[in-house]
Amino acid sequence: MKFSDASSTRALRMFECFANEGKPLSLSEISAFMNTPISTCHALVAVLREGGYLYTNRKSKRFYPTKRLLRVAESIAVNDPIVSYFEPYLRQLSKATQETVILGTRQDDSVVYLEVVEGPQVIRYSAEPGDIKPLHSSAIGKLVLGEMPNEERARILAQLSLDKVTDSTVVERTALDEQVRDAHAAGVYQTCGENVSDVMAIAIPVIVYDDLFGVAVAGPRERMKAEYEAIQGALMQVRLALKMDFD
């Protein structure tokens, strides 16, 4: 089963369509959802069926993914050395704080979430692995900026598009630079309503195999504020445990 770069992107988008709709789809529906010509979708569906990733309902002529993609994804996830290493600590942290815990790292001029352990609270911050967040408005993004050498940070800040994600987002470069410098000195980074208006997040940096990762706790702003010291303490304990284990 061979794909061009464009076809690979369309294949991923097609699976996202099935995930969003949660039901079998006809070829015309796939074409409409993807805003892609039927002829292109037909060729892509044929390749995915041949590879065992899609099957067709004979009566309705609709398509749906088989579990082959799930098996491939599970195999990939189980063998991710970074996530596997962090996972027990992330779960421990979520249990201690009762909030959502996130593992993220830099991806170009953004942050990508590698793992998310959602807290048990009914009202909580929700996210998914693979989510992409801005450097300037997310806690792990600020961590990435703050842990850079000064010269690199100045260069990155000069080229970043500092979009106003919420009313609280810091979009003035000098103010953002000062904020992340102060956070670097304290060893803790945070956002308060800057990426999601009613969410606060607190993050710490961790170095593994010479790569920088951020571990963050995120939840409703008022609850996070009330438990700030306890959450910060739990983060520091996990950071220490990670360092001792890795050393």
Side-chain angles (χ1 to χ4, degrees):
M1 184 170 60
K2 295 183 179 180
F3 287 124
S4 67
D5 289 345
S7 294
S8 298
T9 301
R10 291 192 187 102
L12 293 174
R13 288 178 55 208
M14 182 179 294
F15 284 118
E16 288 176 349
C17 286
F18 284 112
N20 290 335
E21 295 303 312
K23 62 180 182 181
L25 300 174
S26 68
L27 192 60
S28 60
E29 287 172 330
I30 293 171
S31 173
F33 288 134
M34 294 180 59
N35 193 26
T36 302
I38 286 183
S39 58
T40 302
C41 291
H42 183 274
L44 184 57
V45 164
V47 173
L48 290 171
R49 285 185 64 205
E50 181 183 346
Y53 289 91
L54 289 181
Y55 75 94
T56 313
N57 184 293
R58 290 180 177 274
K59 291 185 178 180
S60 68
K61 304 298 182 183
R62 292 173 181 269
F63 303 92
Y64 201 73
T66 67
K67 287 192 174 183
R68 183 165 189 171
L69 181 64
L70 175 63
R71 297 290 182 260
V72 171
E74 287 176 339
S75 178
I76 293 170
V78 165
N79 292 294
D80 183 331
I82 294 298
V83 173
S84 296
Y85 171 69
F86 274 99
E87 189 171 20
Y89 298 100
L90 303 180
R91 296 197 177 281
Q92 172 190 332
L93 186 55
S94 181
K95 183 177 180 180
T97 63
Q98 297 290 288
E99 300 290 358
T100 296
V101 174
I102 303 154
L103 172 67
T105 192
R106 181 181 179 182
Q107 180 170 276
D108 300 322
D109 288 342
S110 301
V111 162
V112 60
Y113 287 173
L114 303 179
E115 180 63 299
V116 178
V117 179
E118 291 201 3
Q121 309 268 23
V122 174
I123 300 174
R124 62 183 182 269
Y125 175 66
S126 294
E128 295 182 357
D131 282 354
I132 306 294
K133 301 296 180 181
L135 290 178
H136 70 290
S137 63
S138 63
I140 298 178
K142 287 187 177 184
L143 180 154
V144 168
L145 288 171
E147 297 299 306
M148 290 177 182
N150 293 338
E151 298 78 8
E152 183 182 3
R153 182 170 60 252
R155 178 175 56 80
I156 295 296
L157 284 176
Q159 67 187 34
L160 273 183
S161 176
L162 302 183
D163 299 325
K164 200 167 184 60
V165 183
T166 73
D167 290 341
S168 300
T169 305
V170 178
V171 295
E172 204 280 312
R173 296 178 202 281
T174 301
L176 180 60
D177 184 52
E178 291 177 355
Q179 188 181 77
V180 297
R181 283 172 183 262
D182 290 343
H184 174 76
V188 180
Y189 298 80
Q190 71 176 57
T191 53
C192 193
E194 297 165 55
N195 197 59
V196 180
S197 58
D198 59 348
V199 169
M200 181 177 182
I202 309 168
I204 56 167
V206 179
I207 304 292
V208 174
Y209 298 121
D210 296 325
D211 280 336
L212 174 67
F213 298 90
V215 176
V217 176
R221 182 164 51 183
E222 296 308 314
R223 195 166 69 210
M224 290 285 292
K225 284 182 177 179
E227 299 295 329
Y228 183 88
E229 290 187 6
I231 292 171
Q232 181 178 339
L235 276 164
M236 292 304 185
Q237 286 182 356
V238 166
R239 182 180 184 181
L240 180 61
L242 280 162
K243 186 177 187 303
M244 291 177 64
D245 188 31
F246 185 68
D247 290 345

